[in-house]
Amino acid sequence: MRRHEFQPGRLLAGLVLTAAGVLYLLDAAGETDVPWFLVVPFGVGGLVLSALVGMVTYAVRRDQRDRIIESKDQ
């Protein structure tokens, strides 16, 4: 299997959505009472946070690529 870049934004999105799913499963099993108006903002906030992390990761990697290209040109 080919190696791929680590993408922390996607990891964070997966963890947040998994946590929201677990909360819904616990609610369905009767273990806890989680209102929908708490889980929805949790999921949306997690997706927004993962988008920000993804943009920062992209910017850092782009800056590193540009520095490598500049050093090769000199």
Side-chain angles (χ1 to χ4, degrees), residues 2 11 18 21-22 25 30 34 58:
R2 289 180 40 191
L11 174 65
T18 300
V22 167
L25 281 174
V34 182
Y58 175 76

Side-chain angles (χ1 to χ4, degrees), residues 3-63:
R3 295 185 60 85
H4 58 276
E5 289 182 334
F6 174 65
Q7 297 179 347
R10 288 187 181 187
L11 174 65
L12 183 61
L15 290 174
V16 167
L17 293 177
T18 300
V22 167
L23 285 174
Y24 271 125
L25 281 174
L26 289 173
D27 189 33
E31 296 294 322
T32 185
D33 186 28
V34 182
W36 68 269
F37 56 85
L38 292 180
V39 176
V40 171
F42 175 74
V44 172
L47 290 176
V48 169
L49 183 61
S50 67
L52 290 174
V53 169
M55 289 189 313
V56 168
T57 303
Y58 175 76
V60 168
R61 288 184 179 161
R62 186 183 63 193
D63 185 50

